[in-house]
Amino acid sequence: MAAAAGHGSVAALRQVRVQTADFDLGAEVALLRAGDPKVGAVVTFVGTVRDLNDGAAVAEMELEHYPGMTEAALGRIVDEACTRWPLAAALVIHRVGPLLPQEQIVLVAVSAAHRGEAFAACEFIIDYLKTDAPFWKKEQTPAGARWVDARNSDDAAMTKWGRTGAAAAAGADA
């Protein structure tokens, strides 16, 4: 995703990647900060595969997506964050395919002049990603394969961003 206008007159570099390969957190953060002396804060979130979910052992999680639609949805989430906060850059990397416990699933990283904007934008992006990004998760458990349902706690987290009830359940277009 190319650079685009951000909050006010600030231009934010926006990047979204959906991939099977793992990512290097240190390298990605270094690229996010590179060459921008105005950056005073970088906040990251890394999500990993747990070995236990809803009381069952998880041997593997497989993430599926719809190419094109997923990247567009992630791009809209990042664009919204860049309109709410004056960010220097925002990056989302989401892995798909089979993943084992402790493997990295997702990276959300944002840079800004100040920590407040960076923390808020990072939390906003991951909250919206959990409810609005079209990924499907299937876990391999001792009882067999099962699809992972959306969590009520993820929908509830959306209330702090101004979405409640049916609007949170319906997604960004509500």
Side-chain angles (χ1 to χ4, degrees):
M1 183 166 280
H7 184 80
S9 62
V10 176
L13 176 64
R14 305 166 193 198
Q15 187 176 15
V16 169
R17 297 193 320 253
V18 176
Q19 61 192 44
T20 57
D22 199 4
F23 52 85
D24 179 331
L25 176 61
E28 297 296 345
V29 169
L31 288 172
L32 197 70
R33 296 179 56 205
D36 191 344
K38 292 179 179 66
V39 170
V42 176
V43 174
T44 63
F45 171 85
V46 176
T48 59
V49 178
R50 292 184 303 271
D51 68 347
L52 187 68
N53 188 32
D54 291 334
V58 175
E60 179 184 89
M61 176 185 287
E62 185 168 357
L63 286 102
E64 297 182 5
H65 77 298
Y66 191 91
M69 182 173 73
T70 302
E71 291 84 352
L74 293 174
R76 286 189 298 274
I77 294 166
V78 170
D79 288 348
E80 177 67 20
C82 290
T83 63
R84 289 180 181 230
W85 294 279
L87 303 179
L91 167 67
V92 174
I93 301 173
H94 206 297
R95 295 181 64 200
V96 293
L99 299 168
L100 300 174
Q102 298 185 321
E103 287 192 289
Q104 300 179 123
I105 302 171
V106 61
L107 168 63
V108 175
V110 297
S111 62
H114 305 284
R115 71 180 183 276
E117 295 105 16
F119 274 112
C122 188
E123 185 177 17
F124 172 89
I125 291 170
I126 195 63
D127 282 350
Y128 264 75
L129 187 148
K130 294 289 287 181
T131 59
D132 291 4
F135 290 100
W136 296 271
K137 299 176 184 177
K138 183 170 47 174
E139 297 174 333
Q140 296 296 331
T141 71
R146 68 180 185 187
W147 292 100
V148 177
D149 292 328
R151 296 183 183 277
N152 291 335
S153 60
D154 293 331
D155 288 335
M158 297 304 291
T159 60
K160 71 176 151 272
W161 308 117
R163 273 197 359 215
T164 59
D173 295 332

